[in-house]
Amino acid sequence: MLGKLSWAAIPFNQPIPLIAAGVVGFVIIGVLAWVTLKGWLPYLWREWITSVDHKRIGIMYVLLAMVMLLRGFTDAIMMRSQQALAFRSPGYLPPEHYNQIFSAHGTLMIFFVAMPFVIGLMNFVVPLQLGIRDVAFPTLNSVGLWLTATGALLVNISLLVGEFSRATWLAYPPLSELKYSPGVGVDYYLWSLEISGVGTLLAGINLIVTVLKLHAPGMTYMRMPMFCWTTLASSLLIVAAFPILTATLAMLLLDRYLGFHFFTNEAGGNMMMFMNLIWAWGHPEVYILILPAFGVYSEVVSTFSGKPLFGYRSMVAATMAICILSFTVWLHHFFTMGAGADVNAIFGITSAIIAVPTGVKIFNWLFTMYGGRVVYSTPLLWSLGFMVTFVIGGMTGVLLAVPPADFVLHNSLFLVAHFHNVIIGGLLFGAFAGYTYWFPKAFGFRLHEGLGKASFWCWFTGFYVAFMPLYVLGLMGMTRRMQHYDVAAWHPWLLIAVGGAAIILIGIILQIAQFVVSIRRREELRDETGDPWNGRSLEWATPSPPPAFNFAVLPNIQGEEAYWGMKQRALQQARLGEEPVYADIEMPRNSPTGFVCAFFATIMGFALIWHIWWMVGVAALGAYATFVVFAWRDVDEYIVPAETVARIDRANRSARSAALARREVPP
């Protein structure tokens, strides 16, 4: 009746997972009780859970990423503290639990922190920057969000029911094959990624169609903000690369469930083919993550330098070059597999070449700042921290692209340091810059600057203290994933590294404090005009937060940096342009389709993991019925009356007129 599920699945003999699951459960129950007692549940269902508004979906993506960041960072603290304590001792984590932790850490951080963070920012910002009302497929957008949340939920269910994979965050065979991982840990990994991967693919398709087909009048491709270009490049990579991941994991599932031999060591299988396929997805994935961050830095550096982005066309060319070149470098992840000197040389050269367009971007950002009136706000600090840190990570990456050096450093902590150098110093700093930069647009008030800067310096300092020692340890020969060790020379460096993780923890605490303090002081941090940073792109032309329809009247674009041009004309004339003619606006109606589909996907994933076949059938039928009901909706749009549009826009015009008058008053 319940397949492989029994009371033995609960780890009663392991206090750490039980305590962790208890804390998570207590928090979830507490939040649900608080929301219910406050009477907010109907509002949350109506305005958020069933929303198809791209802005709210983007915010929920980012919220999911931040919650999972706390979960993934907890794993990181446990790994670092284990290694600090495990010198000539077993430490406090049993080997099998330690293996689950590093597998879960990588899985969560890449698939459920990095991906939702960048997709959330792209969802929120791109339609606003393009001057349009929503993404191309609003309901599909909701489905993508909730399927991603389903994957994250399945990973966290493994804390209490069963176990998680011990086969690393990429589930390498033969370790992930049924013979060597007979439990459900690898199944949790595979089904969570298969389900969330569908959600990511839907997001990629949606964003490509939005950027290519939906523009405000006059918004040509070469007038799009840089963030829209990086979104396009990242989304193209999603659509090209994620089917590879889905197919690869499906083959591994067939090995485990039906006795196929794609990646086994017998019956014609080849485990190295898994490496080939997983990295054919895996290296483009790095650029899927970093390209949107590059777009964030372009917007932030331009805004806080008071100048247009230097070399806009070269930045576009560099972005699309990275998009293409990212599919030519995957083999540098296994130079040691024996492909031969010629193959290694070709991929080593392409791996070095891809650093060139990235270098172009660094110089463009520096030249944008050169001669500008630079304002050292929190978003710009994250951007400057990125430039310093990412250059170091890029140089170590070029070193690893040299096959003889990679033979020495492969699978060592040097590689771990390099990877975190580009992911934390590149992607996460970019995500935090974007979060801080667009927060007032999302919620109508700015984040506290003092706490934001303090958090940045803790993250920046903590990163170097935590990861520079790993470069040294890698050069000293320490390999990845060691649960304990006997080499005395390694111990001091690991103690320094855990100190760095503690400094990052302080940075996270300060970010939480910044959020809480900003909410409490939101009236004094209020963004009245919708343009708190003196921005240059169209999102700053809307109120903060923007209404559901974004723009009362779609803007008419007459050049690059359309909003900046509008502002300059208003300053010259000492008044806003003429009030537009308002009309009714059609907007997509909210739909529970995404949430209901995710509900059935969660049941189906759990049932597939535990071989509860009748439950799989019921969940599949429910998901299919949901789509049938959605397809037969009679009314899928609602009308925003012209009077409502006029009232919202006139209030914003009044605030902007007052701000314009204040700027005209001589000192």
Side-chain angles (χ1 to χ4, degrees):
M1 185 69 177
L2 293 179
K4 298 195 296 183
L5 186 61
S6 68
W7 284 110
I10 310 295
F12 291 111
N13 60 335
Q14 298 183 32
I16 294 175
L18 282 179
I19 293 169
V23 170
V24 171
F26 178 78
V27 170
I28 291 172
I29 292 169
V31 169
L32 288 174
W34 181 54
V35 167
T36 304
L37 291 172
K38 287 282 188 178
W40 293 343
L41 208 55
Y43 166 78
L44 287 174
W45 174 260
R46 185 178 64 253
E47 299 295 334
W48 287 89
I49 294 172
T50 63
S51 178
V52 298
D53 184 342
H54 72 95
K55 299 177 291 297
R56 293 193 167 177
I57 287 174
I59 290 167
M60 287 189 283
Y61 264 119
V62 171
L63 180 62
L64 171 66
M66 289 189 157
V67 171
M68 291 299 104
L69 176 63
L70 294 175
R71 164 78 167 85
F73 184 74
T74 303
D75 289 339
I77 285 283
M78 292 174 73
M79 284 189 289
R80 286 284 152 260
S81 56
Q82 163 68 20
Q83 288 189 325
L85 295 171
F87 172 54
R88 293 176 182 165
S89 111
Y92 71 98
L93 289 174
E96 66 277 2
H97 190 194
Y98 181 77
N99 293 349
Q100 290 182 56
I101 286 172
F102 68 63
S103 300
H105 172 73
T107 305
L108 286 166
M109 288 300 200
I110 294 299
F111 293 101
F112 302 112
V113 176
M115 287 301 300
F117 219 138
V118 298
I119 291 174
L121 292 177
M122 293 189 291
N123 251 299
F124 182 86
V125 175
V126 165
L128 292 170
Q129 289 195 334
L130 292 174
I132 58 178
R133 305 214 186 280
D134 211 321
V135 293
F137 309 113
T139 304
L140 213 61
N141 206 16
S142 172
V143 174
L145 162 70
W146 290 108
L147 288 180
T148 303
T150 290
L153 179 60
L154 285 174
V155 174
N156 285 285
I157 287 174
S158 71
L159 263 176
L160 182 63
V161 185
E163 60 181 0
F164 193 65
S165 170
R166 303 174 194 168
T168 80
W169 71 277
L170 285 177
Y172 288 153
L175 190 59
S176 57
E177 292 283 355
L178 194 61
K179 180 178 180 180
Y180 299 100
S181 293
V184 295
V186 174
D187 300 326
Y188 266 112
Y189 169 89
L190 291 171
W191 288 115
S192 67
L193 296 198
E194 290 285 55
I195 293 168
S196 64
V198 173
T200 302
L201 185 60
L202 293 178
I205 294 169
N206 213 343
L207 289 164
I208 287 173
V209 178
T210 301
V211 173
L212 291 181
K213 303 300 289 184
L214 302 182
H215 294 187
M219 175 68 80
T220 63
Y221 290 137
M222 295 312 293
R223 290 176 177 174
M224 293 194 308
M226 200 62 229
F227 187 72
C228 295
W229 276 105
T230 58
T231 294
L232 175 62
S234 178
S235 301
L236 287 168
L237 289 175
I238 286 173
V239 171
F242 262 81
I244 301 174
L245 176 69
T246 302
T248 305
L249 298 185
M251 285 188 276
L252 184 55
L253 281 165
L254 289 169
D255 280 7
R256 288 181 60 85
Y257 278 68
L258 296 177
F260 281 45
H261 293 282
F262 288 110
F263 308 125
T264 61
N265 282 328
E266 63 276 346
N270 185 351
M271 67 177 183
M272 291 314 301
M273 186 51 67
F274 182 91
M275 309 299 177
N276 201 22
L277 289 169
I278 204 74
W279 284 114
W281 159 81
H283 205 86
E285 165 68 4
V286 175
Y287 293 99
I288 288 169
L289 298 175
I290 202 65
L291 282 169
F294 287 169
V296 172
Y297 298 129
S298 298
E299 303 297 326
V300 168
V301 169
S302 176
T303 297
F304 292 106
S305 300
K307 287 175 58 183
L309 185 66
F310 179 88
Y312 170 82
R313 290 175 183 269
S314 67
M315 289 284 269
V316 171
T319 298
M320 300 316 291
I322 289 172
C323 182
I324 295 167
L325 289 170
S326 65
F327 269 103
T328 68
V329 297
W330 79 90
L331 196 132
H332 69 219
H333 287 276
F334 42 95
F335 278 149
T336 57
M337 74 177 275
D342 292 341
V343 173
N344 284 1
I346 289 169
F347 280 88
I349 291 166
T350 57
S351 301
I353 288 173
I354 202 170
V356 175
T358 306
V360 168
K361 289 175 176 288
I362 296 286
F363 283 110
N364 282 6
W365 292 318
L366 292 174
F367 282 128
T368 301
M369 295 178 67
Y370 180 75
R373 300 180 64 180
V374 179
V375 178
Y376 290 97
S377 64
T378 305
L380 188 67
L381 287 182
W382 287 112
S383 303
L384 293 172
F386 148 78
M387 289 184 212
V388 175
T389 308
F390 194 78
V391 167
I392 296 171
M395 289 190 295
T396 58
V398 171
L399 176 61
L400 288 167
V402 178
D406 186 73
F407 265 75
V408 177
L409 299 171
H410 189 78
N411 212 38
S412 74
L413 283 183
F414 189 96
L415 180 61
V416 175
H418 158 71
F419 185 72
H420 287 80
N421 209 152
V422 294
I423 292 297
I424 294 178
L427 162 69
L428 205 55
F429 282 14
F432 290 153
Y435 159 73
T436 312
Y437 180 59
W438 283 304
F439 186 93
K441 179 54 58 183
F443 296 105
F445 58 94
R446 288 172 284 112
L447 288 167
H448 191 279
E449 275 286 295
L451 287 169
K453 289 177 178 177
S455 172
F456 162 74
W457 285 112
C458 286
W459 266 97
F460 186 72
T461 306
F463 167 78
Y464 280 91
V465 176
F467 289 99
M468 293 303 115
L470 303 194
Y471 280 122
V472 178
L473 287 164
L475 291 168
M476 294 170 70
M478 185 173 181
T479 56
R480 294 192 284 176
R481 310 181 186 114
M482 295 187 72
Q483 188 260 350
H484 62 276
Y485 54 94
D486 297 326
V487 181
W490 295 350
H491 192 217
W493 296 103
L494 289 165
L495 290 175
I496 295 170
V498 78
I503 297 172
I504 292 174
L505 176 61
I506 296 170
I508 292 174
I509 292 170
L510 287 170
Q511 283 177 305
I512 296 169
Q514 179 197 31
F515 183 69
V516 173
V517 169
S518 300
I519 292 173
R520 295 183 66 179
R521 298 187 185 178
R522 59 187 177 276
E523 290 309 319
E524 63 185 84
L525 295 168
R526 181 73 59 191
D527 169 23
E528 300 289 350
T529 65
D531 185 16
W533 310 120
N534 194 22
R536 309 180 76 87
S537 47
L538 279 176
E539 72 268 33
W540 306 111
T542 65
S544 295
F549 49 81
N550 291 346
F551 298 91
V553 176
L554 295 186
N556 188 20
I557 310 305
Q558 298 177 357
E560 294 178 16
E561 296 196 313
Y563 176 56
W564 187 256
M566 295 175 195
K567 281 202 296 189
Q568 297 315 301
R569 287 192 294 275
L571 286 169
Q572 289 168 7
Q573 299 169 6
R575 64 180 181 83
L576 298 181
E578 295 298 324
E579 183 179 284
V581 177
Y582 300 108
D584 294 349
I585 297 174
E586 287 187 351
M587 292 300 297
R589 189 177 295 275
N590 286 353
S591 170
T593 301
F595 184 80
V596 175
C597 282
F599 171 77
F600 286 119
T602 303
I603 294 174
M604 183 186 292
F606 186 81
L608 284 164
I609 290 162
W610 290 100
H611 297 192
I612 310 172
W613 305 118
W614 65 267
M615 193 180 290
V616 173
V618 170
L621 185 63
Y624 176 74
T626 303
F627 270 105
V628 170
V629 171
F630 170 70
W632 285 90
R633 286 199 307 177
D634 292 328
V635 181
D636 55 6
E637 291 183 333
Y638 70 97
I639 302 295
V640 181
E643 299 78 25
T644 303
V645 176
R647 175 175 50 79
I648 293 171
D649 192 54
R650 283 169 182 158
N652 185 241
R653 286 175 61 87
S654 174
R656 289 174 185 266
S657 294
L660 185 62
R662 287 195 297 271
R663 292 186 68 170
E664 289 299 309
V665 176

